[in-house]
């Protein structure tokens, strides 16, 4: 990587739009900055749809690869993060549809089906929870995971990721009033004592080692 590219990557103030422009001009190495910049946000989004660590990793990688392939279609009339999230949602839904079709075509035993299909209330803890020391954090993550997907996604994007209602509305292609209703219901379903700690930034943390692995894998494939 050239000295100028290294300098840009180290400068966190460089806009997404500038990075996209440079990547489109042939400096694909700079795409690494966009990956690292949005790994956490994308991870928290995908957790809203999927619970299997392998599926989450696959969808995150596919999202970045699809975004790179379609980068020339980015019109700069919305934020790059919103554009990326919409791709991530489509990839997550595609993964769910694929698993449903796979189960239906193979007519599997119900017990095997439960291991393959994403459940609205997953019972197994995400591996990331193992690195969280405080019991309150673990309990909150489990409580959020038990929400129905349409509530879980909005709760994570708004309360943990801090996205605006208008941005969530655009990403999910639903009205702002609908977003507000689902958010209200999500809060109502989470115990009050757990909701009080939901602002903790470590919730659904995407560890640095996983970030490095994913970033390396994507950069090797583009």
């Amino acid at each position: 990587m050239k000295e100028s590219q290294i300098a840009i990557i180290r400068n966190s103030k460089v806009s997404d739009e500038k990075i996209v422009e440079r990547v489109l001009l042939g400096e694909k190495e700079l795409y690494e900055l966009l990956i690292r910049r949005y790994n956490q946000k994308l991870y928290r989004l995908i957790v809203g749809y999927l619970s299997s660590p392998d599926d989450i990793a696959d969808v995150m990688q596919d999202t970045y690869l699809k975004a790179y392939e379609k980068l020339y279609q980015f019109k700069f009339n919305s934020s790059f993060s919103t554009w990326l999230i919409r791709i991530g949602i489509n990839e997550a839904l595609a993964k769910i549809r694929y698993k449903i079709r796979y189960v239906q075509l193979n007519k599997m035993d119900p017990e095997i089906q439960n291991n393959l299909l994403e459940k609205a209330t997953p019972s197994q803890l995400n591996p990331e929870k193992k690195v969280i020391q405080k019991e309150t954090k673990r309990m909150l993550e489990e409580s959020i995971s038990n929400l129905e997907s349409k509530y879980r996604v909005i709760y994570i994007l708004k309360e943990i990721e801090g996205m605006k209602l208008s941005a969530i509305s655009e990403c999910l292609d639903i009205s702002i009033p609908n977003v507000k209703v689902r958010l209200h219901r999500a809060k109502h379903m989470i115990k009050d004592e757990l909701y009080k700690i939901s602002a903790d930034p470590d919730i659904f943390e995407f560890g640095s080692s996983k970030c490095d692995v994913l970033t390396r894998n994507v950069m090797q494939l583009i």
Side-chain angles (χ1 to χ4, degrees):
M1 187 178 295
K2 298 179 182 179
E3 291 286 341
S4 60
Q5 294 172 330
I6 294 176
I8 289 177
I9 285 180
R10 288 177 177 173
N11 184 357
S12 61
K13 295 182 180 180
V14 176
S15 69
D16 294 344
E17 289 75 12
K18 184 64 176 179
I19 298 298
V20 169
E21 290 175 354
R22 296 286 294 269
V23 172
L24 289 174
L25 289 173
E27 297 179 87
K28 71 176 185 179
E29 294 88 351
L30 296 183
Y31 192 60
E32 178 180 340
L33 176 57
L34 295 175
I35 297 174
R36 293 187 178 278
R37 195 171 276 182
Y38 293 110
N39 264 342
Q40 182 68 74
K41 183 184 291 290
L42 183 62
Y43 172 74
R44 285 172 171 164
L45 166 76
I46 303 304
V47 166
Y49 288 93
L50 303 166
S51 61
S52 164
D54 290 338
D55 287 343
I56 293 171
D58 288 345
V59 169
M60 289 183 69
Q61 178 171 299
D62 290 345
T63 297
Y64 284 123
L65 293 175
K66 180 67 67 65
Y68 180 79
E69 293 172 0
K70 303 294 184 180
L71 198 59
Y72 67 94
Q73 296 180 356
F74 179 57
K75 302 302 182 182
F76 299 96
N77 53 7
S78 64
S79 68
F80 178 80
S81 63
T82 297
W83 185 74
L84 180 69
I85 284 174
R86 295 180 75 169
I87 294 175
I89 290 172
N90 289 335
E91 291 298 310
L93 294 177
K95 171 70 76 174
I96 293 172
R97 287 194 295 268
Y98 169 79
K99 293 172 74 174
I100 291 175
R101 288 197 301 270
Y102 184 82
V103 169
Q104 291 174 339
L105 289 173
N106 289 275
K107 297 180 180 179
M108 292 182 176
D109 179 89
E111 184 175 351
I112 299 178
Q113 291 184 26
N114 287 336
N115 291 330
L116 288 174
L117 292 176
E118 293 301 330
K119 300 184 228 180
T121 56
S123 59
Q124 292 186 340
L125 295 182
N126 187 305
E128 273 62 39
K129 293 176 182 174
K130 296 179 182 179
V131 303
I132 298 177
Q133 301 298 318
K134 295 182 180 180
E135 179 66 11
T136 51
K137 293 179 184 177
R138 185 197 65 79
M139 292 175 64
L140 178 58
E141 288 191 354
E142 185 173 6
S143 178
I144 295 172
S145 295
N146 286 336
L147 291 173
E148 188 177 347
S149 180
K150 65 180 180 180
Y151 301 122
R152 184 169 67 242
V153 170
I154 287 179
Y155 184 87
I156 290 175
L157 291 180
K158 178 62 174 69
E159 299 302 324
I160 299 178
E161 202 51 50
M163 289 180 62
K164 295 182 178 180
L165 295 177
S166 57
I168 297 173
S169 172
E170 182 179 353
C171 289
L172 300 181
D173 195 24
I174 61 176
S175 68
I176 292 179
N178 201 345
V179 172
K180 291 180 178 179
V181 168
R182 294 187 188 184
L183 179 62
H184 175 75
R185 290 178 181 173
K187 291 179 179 179
H188 182 72
M189 288 184 283
I190 295 176
K191 294 181 179 180
D192 290 341
E193 63 271 21
L194 296 179
Y195 177 63
K196 291 177 182 178
I197 63 169
S198 63
D200 194 317
D202 290 337
I203 293 171
F204 291 122
E205 191 73 22
F206 191 62
S208 58
S209 61
K210 292 184 179 294
C211 178
D212 291 339
V213 171
L214 177 65
T215 301
R216 183 169 61 251
N217 289 343
V218 172
M219 294 305 296
Q220 287 175 347
L221 290 171
I222 65 174

